[in-house]
Amino acid sequence: MATTLADHLRSLPDEALGALLRLRPDLVMPVPADLSALAIRAQSRVSVARALDGLDQFTLQILDGARLTRDVREGTTSVEAVLAAAQGADPAAARAALDRLRARFLVYGAENALHVVASVDEVCSPYPAGLGRPAAELDERTAAICADPARLRRTLLSAPPAARAVLDRLAAGPPVGTVSAGALSGTDGGESPVRWLVDNGLLVSITDGASPLGAPADAVELPREVGLLLRRDTGPLGPLQPTPPPVAITGREPKGVDSAGAGQAMEAVRHTETLLEALAAEPAPVLRSGGLGVRDLRRLSRTTGVDEPTAALLLEVAYAAALIGENELPGAGSRGAIDQQVLPTGGYDLWRAGSLAQRWEQLARAWLAMTRQPGLIGQRDERDRPITVLSGEVERAGAPPARREPLGVLAELDPGSAPAPEDILRLLAWRAPRRGKGREPAHREALTEAAQLGVTGLGALTSYGRLLLADAAAAREVPDEDPLGLRPGAAQSPGEPSATVQTLDGLLPAPVDHVLLQADLTVVVPGPPEPELAAELEVVAEPESAGGASVYRVTGASVRRALDAGYGADDLHTLFRRRSRTAVPQALTYLIDDVARKHGGLRVGSTGAYMRSDDEALLAEVLADRRLAVLSLRRLAPTVLATPYQVGRMLGALREAGYAPVAEDATGAAMLTRPKVRRAPARVPAVARMAAALTAPRLTGPRLLGVVEQIRRGDAAARAARRAPVTVRATNGQTGGALSVAQAHTQAVAVLQQAVRDRALVWVGYVDTHGATISRLVRPVSLGGGYLRAEDERTEMLHTFALHRVTAAVLDE
């Protein structure tokens, strides 16, 4: 009968062993050498804790029942005893919970001799089911009282109400409580209920530090027998909850959910683009401690028109999507100053070129995968310093599963189901109480962030949000059945939009390719603009408001900017006629012609820099303009002025003063270029980093069978090596007199020839090049030419032995 876990694993069929590895994939990272190594790893604290983290509240209560009903001497329990301890629960549900524990080998053995893995007691509370230690382990007098059930009941019934309240509190668990020193010594004055309980043997003082929890000096413990008596109505394990808590659902119209979510998704993309444009115009410096300063976050928040928590969330998501990054300032840092700044990366330009749905999907995928918790921003760290956006203190490895768990609850419900957040948190606490400890704030933040990004709408999961979660789950799995992606439909065609993008596209307003020009020079875009139209508007107009219909305004500065970028007056007239569904206002035509007539009237070069013009009166005006005194202009010729400053500063000062200069090169040709935009180095998005991270593999199909076979083969080789004789007998099992060297060699060759014919395992003794005698278990392949070729069962390598070095050969039994 198997007594150890390793022996029990050896007795299992491959299917049962594979089921264990499927439920606990961490056991094969890396693949253990044999079943003994697998058993050791399965009983380790880390692996046991990981297995327990995935169990629901009822299964953990049944595990406490197995721990509670163990025989003190044998250390085993039985299925019958565990089911009896689960008083009030459906026996079928209790047995199913016990089967889950046995499938994970947290409990193993025959039904009448169940063993609990030792590390369970180390990982879990030392008080199973919240009950204290037996009285015999605590105090002799208390043990004598508890040994007499009638006396114990009489003592309990005589307890004063205050003392009974203390007992009820400790009986609910944990069974240890702390009290003041005076409450035990009686120096507090009056009748202490704790003192009465200790004097009457219902509580035991553990002031000697004997508590498994390392209780303080003034502590008391409720003996197990007293706790069981107090739980006579609810059962030894206390109130059991074999089914998950109910979730109250508010029904929403699925179309309304999708519409609300799509509107918020559009806003999230728009605000993200506004944030990043603000960073492109004025990059934010990186603090020495990392992250952006509070002032920069406040500035970006005001620019975008959102509150600071939302701005922080969008910045973190953009960083995870590799749309922004850090860039070193040239020549900075020599005096310890800030030498890095945050600005958009080259990936931002590619992102802007995509459709609205594609841009949202990239943000949402990065949010699901990023190991950062934006809800921590604004809180204080352990050194009482504020946690800033993009700082290292926001990093949390458990953030991705903390987002997936509440969204997974929503995905399990029917479309349009909007449960209360409190019900979701209660359900998650029941499903994984160990893992859920401390995750409640992260779960709440995940639901809030999902609403801000448009993954949910009106409290329910959107249709495209379901597709997003399904795609993310599929991306985390390893396709064992089709590792090369050869099956039809196994992979998405390059350039083909995902189902998430297609669904969201159908909910968003169709991109428009036209505008409505107004008499006041405003430009109304009646919907999300196409990327090409958005790029044109960015050059020729100034944004005024955004939303479902964005508004721009054409100004003299925007027209001059367009002329600087290479547009001509005719090009602008053509652009507005082509894009506008309304008549082009005459005021706009006059504005373009007026700015174009002045544009290029001044030419700027470098001396520092020079300025020339055929209009001497215009140069005289510039020279006399007090606003340009900072340039220290001087006349070189009737048509030329010079300044010691660079071209860029001269151009900026002239434009601020209302002039329209144009830069020229050494040949006098006008230099019409778009302004350069600075970009940070490209970064890898969070989704790609998560995909490349080491995670527990999904074991199915051929991979699982291969792992089981490898462990079995390694275990057989290890056991065979342990059976190897100290010296291989040359007599091949004979007990007669010793053979001569020639006879032993002849007999060894005969054994090897037989092993070659039968493909049998054989122990070979041989002398190595150092003169040492070594034995090895091999399977002979061929024998001839004075050499033996054989396969080593342990290493799976082919070896060649010189026959004159073989001393003996014995068939393996």
Side-chain angles (χ1 to χ4, degrees), residues 705-732:
L705 295 177
V707 169
V708 172
E709 181 182 358
Q710 182 177 345
I711 296 175
R712 293 278 195 200
R713 191 163 56 244
D715 189 65
R719 295 179 67 190
R722 288 192 291 270
R723 295 197 312 268
V726 178
T727 58
V728 180
R729 296 180 182 273
T731 57
N732 195 18

Side-chain angles (χ1 to χ4, degrees), residues 59-71 75-79 81-83 85-86 98 101-102 106-108 114-117 120-121 128-129 224 237:
T59 304
L60 291 176
Q61 289 176 318
I62 296 301
L63 178 60
D64 277 345
R67 297 171 62 202
L68 193 65
T69 56
R70 281 179 297 187
D71 183 83
T76 61
T77 184
S78 65
V79 173
V82 175
L83 297 181
L98 189 57
L101 295 170
R102 298 179 72 180
L106 300 170
V107 175
Y108 68 94
L114 291 177
H115 296 263
V116 179
V117 171
V120 169
D121 293 322
R224 180 173 297 179
L237 303 182

Side-chain angles (χ1 to χ4, degrees), residues 104 182 234 277 304 351 402 431 497 577 727 739 766:
R104 290 163 175 79
T234 60
E277 283 298 313
T304 313
W351 177 78
R431 286 183 174 179
R577 283 196 302 268
T727 58
L739 300 174
Y766 66 98

